[in-house]
Amino acid sequence: MLKKPEEFGRVAVLMGGGSAEREISLKSGMAVYNALKNKGVDAVAIDVTGSPIEALNGLKIDRVFNIIHGRGGEDGVLQGVLEVLGLPYTGSGVMASALTMDKLRTKLCWLGYGLATPEWYLLKDENDLDACMEKLGFPVIVKPAQEGSSIGMSKATNREELLKALEVAADYHCDVYAEAWVSGKEYTVALLNGEALPVIGLETPHVFYDYEAKYHATTTLYHCPCDLSQNRELQLRELAVKAGEVVGVKGWARVDVFIDNLGQYQLIEVNTVPGMTDHSLVPMAAKQAGIDFEELVWRILETSLG
């Protein structure tokens, strides 16, 4: 563990980007930047509005704290640029970032390892609806495979809603799939340097934990410590670590999972650049583990040293 902030050199906090999660990234980025400055780190805040190469051009930078959510920052593209530039950076590498940005292919990897995830059906156009209904029934949740923050997601309880949900998700120009609706409780597990932080239980009066519930609603409840027994929480934490290892996650991440009404764990997705706003879950889990926000940001930055 580094003791002196100057050992990091000059740190570029990359935020913003061009994805649908830009607004959240800017909030996360400023929180991270302020925390680093408070810890004495020589940090510079950079809003990436176009090419990250142009954003970094002419700056003497020693490493990068990547807090760009979504496509362009979380999908391996930025990681590849930083590899070519020879700049160390926080979080997962090119392969894991690209893989986990695609929720559908992440599910395939988990299944290949024998980890449970809800059934799904790939929706290419309206001709797939009947086969999807036959396989999954209703309700389902329709998702664009490469968006985060629940953007573009809709619940469908009949054919008309399924078609509408497909049309909404298709606007995000990536694979769209319907996933079997999981009745049960939703949890999230933050990972930091290969270890799981305390589990957070999520509860919302919304139809599901959507964008509004994540970032704006005052009715969303976060339970940390959660309602699980000590043994059950340990199992869930171990599962989250394994789920991250299977897809090659490094540094820090967050794994979302349901426990269905039969008590079965159902893995949903991985976020390799989780939010760091005042509504965000990783800081909440870290706090429960006795790690304040500034210390959390420091520890994440340390992952760029590996």
Side-chain angles (χ1 to χ4, degrees), residues 203-217:
E203 193 177 346
T204 174
H206 290 220
V207 175
F208 61 92
Y209 187 47
D210 59 12
Y211 186 92
E212 178 68 21
K214 286 180 176 178
Y215 299 114
H216 301 300

Side-chain angles (χ1 to χ4, degrees), residues 74-122:
E74 201 168 354
D75 59 358
V77 172
L78 177 60
Q79 288 76 10
V81 168
L82 297 175
E83 294 279 356
V84 171
L85 295 176
L87 286 174
Y89 54 91
T90 54
S92 294
V94 175
M95 185 279 295
S97 299
L99 175 57
T100 55
M101 191 67 216
D102 191 313
K103 293 189 281 286
L104 190 53
R105 283 159 181 81
T106 299
K107 288 163 72 73
L108 289 168
C109 288
W110 283 336
L111 280 178
Y113 197 83
L115 302 179
T117 183
E119 281 196 293
W120 77 94
Y121 195 88
L122 183 65

Side-chain angles (χ1 to χ4, degrees), residues 5-277:
E6 56 266 25
E7 294 181 64
F8 289 117
R10 196 164 200 223
V11 179
V13 181
L14 298 189
M15 64 186 83
S19 81
E21 297 177 81
R22 173 176 169 79
E23 175 193 349
I24 304 304
S25 173
L26 290 172
K27 290 181 180 179
S28 293
M30 289 311 299
V32 167
Y33 169 75
N34 289 327
L36 289 176
K37 295 296 283 186
N38 289 342
K39 295 286 276 186
V41 175
D42 180 14
V44 55
I46 300 176
D47 178 3
V48 179
T49 56
S51 164
I53 298 175
E54 291 178 6
L56 292 166
N57 188 38
L59 298 176
K60 187 185 180 304
I61 297 297
D62 295 295
R63 68 191 63 253
V64 166
F65 194 119
N66 173 29
I67 197 67
I68 299 178
H69 308 314
R71 283 186 268 187
E74 201 168 354
D75 59 358
V77 172
L78 177 60
Q79 288 76 10
V81 168
L82 297 175
E83 294 279 356
V84 171
L85 295 176
L87 286 174
Y89 54 91
T90 54
S92 294
V94 175
M95 185 279 295
S97 299
L99 175 57
T100 55
M101 191 67 216
D102 191 313
K103 293 189 281 286
L104 190 53
R105 283 159 181 81
T106 299
K107 288 163 72 73
L108 289 168
C109 288
W110 283 336
L111 280 178
Y113 197 83
L115 302 179
T117 183
E119 281 196 293
W120 77 94
Y121 195 88
L122 183 65
L123 297 173
K124 294 183 179 179
D125 54 43
E126 188 174 355
N127 295 323
D128 293 320
L129 298 188
D130 291 336
C132 174
M133 290 159 53
E134 184 176 342
K135 179 180 180 182
L136 301 180
F138 287 112
V140 295
I141 187 160
V142 177
K143 303 179 178 182
Q146 295 181 41
E147 283 297 342
S149 294
S150 301
I151 290 168
M153 288 168 45
S154 312
K155 182 180 182 181
T157 59
N158 56 50
R159 194 182 195 282
E160 183 180 354
E161 290 178 356
L162 184 59
L163 176 58
K164 177 62 177 175
L166 168 59
E167 291 170 346
V168 168
D171 282 344
Y172 293 91
H173 307 293
C174 59
D175 285 341
V176 175
Y177 66 101
E179 186 175 73
W181 187 265
V182 180
S183 294
K185 293 187 175 181
E186 186 171 4
Y187 299 89
T188 193
V189 188
L191 303 179
L192 182 60
N193 256 333
E195 296 185 2
L197 297 178
V199 176
I200 300 174
L202 307 173
E203 193 177 346
T204 174
H206 290 220
V207 175
F208 61 92
Y209 187 47
D210 59 12
Y211 186 92
E212 178 68 21
K214 286 180 176 178
Y215 299 114
H216 301 300
T218 57
T219 54
T220 305
L221 299 178
Y222 304 98
H223 304 289
C224 190
C226 67
D227 59 350
L228 298 172
S229 68
Q230 186 175 357
N231 185 55
R232 209 55 171 136
E233 174 163 358
L234 181 60
Q235 288 178 349
L236 184 50
R237 290 168 78 165
E238 289 175 346
L239 172 64
V241 170
K242 180 58 64 179
E245 289 175 349
V246 166
V247 291
V249 163
K250 302 290 183 186
W252 70 306
R254 204 190 74 236
V255 178
D256 296 339
V257 58
F258 274 86
I259 299 180
D260 66 25
N261 288 340
L262 299 177
Q264 171 78 31
Y265 299 112
Q266 299 282 355
L267 290 164
I268 304 299
E269 64 175 290
V270 182
N271 294 276
T272 53
V273 185
M276 291 287 277
T277 71

